[in-house]
Amino acid sequence: MPSLSETQKQVEGYDKKHGWDEDKPSHIVLHMSEELGEISRRILRNEGYKKEDFDPKELGMELTDLLYLTLKLANSFDIRLEDEWNKMWERYKTKTNRS
Ligand SMILES: [Mg+2]
């Protein structure tokens, strides 16, 4: 599996190839909301609130859609998520509660 940094570069290349690298951040966030709704629906199915079949593969696909958009949004602002992840993880190592 590629690193997060490599994956973010894949997204950048893919979006440039399709002319999607100039998408407005506000539109990306709207799409993220849409994907979060799709994730929510799968979770509601899993818990029986929605009377529809739950397929963990579908949940995996929706989570990945959201990851793609997260990387895409980060690219819009030249944020390197692997660096941010590593900084966050350093902070989390010393965390003792959820606040
Ligand atoms: Mg989706």
Side-chain angles (χ1 to χ4, degrees):
M1 180 183 175
S3 69
L4 185 56
S5 179
E6 290 165 337
T7 305
Q8 189 169 348
K9 284 194 174 87
Q10 281 180 341
V11 168
E12 186 176 31
Y14 180 80
D15 282 351
K16 277 187 179 160
K17 181 180 166 190
H18 291 90
W20 299 335
D21 54 316
E22 299 295 325
D23 288 350
K24 289 174 70 171
S26 60
H27 291 183
I28 299 169
V29 171
L30 282 173
H31 283 291
M32 291 172 82
S33 300
E34 186 180 9
E35 295 303 338
L36 189 57
E38 292 170 356
I39 291 165
S40 300
R41 187 167 197 117
R42 269 61 184 188
I43 297 299
L44 292 173
R45 285 178 184 175
N46 180 242
E47 295 179 358
Y49 185 79
K50 287 275 180 194
K51 304 300 177 201
E52 301 165 348
D53 291 337
F54 171 72
D55 182 347
K57 287 181 189 163
E58 288 181 2
L59 177 58
M61 289 169 61
E62 302 305 351
L63 287 167
T64 307
D65 287 344
L66 185 60
L67 177 59
Y68 161 76
L69 290 167
T70 301
L71 295 169
K72 179 180 175 70
L73 185 61
N75 282 338
S76 297
F77 293 97
D78 290 324
I79 294 168
R80 298 293 108 195
L81 279 186
E82 189 167 296
D83 295 342
E84 295 304 322
W85 177 272
N86 290 334
K87 283 187 245 172
M88 180 201 73
W89 207 244
E90 283 302 312
R91 289 194 309 271
Y92 277 28
K93 280 184 192 172
T94 57
K95 266 181 96 136
T96 55
N97 61 47
R98 292 183 160 185
S99 62

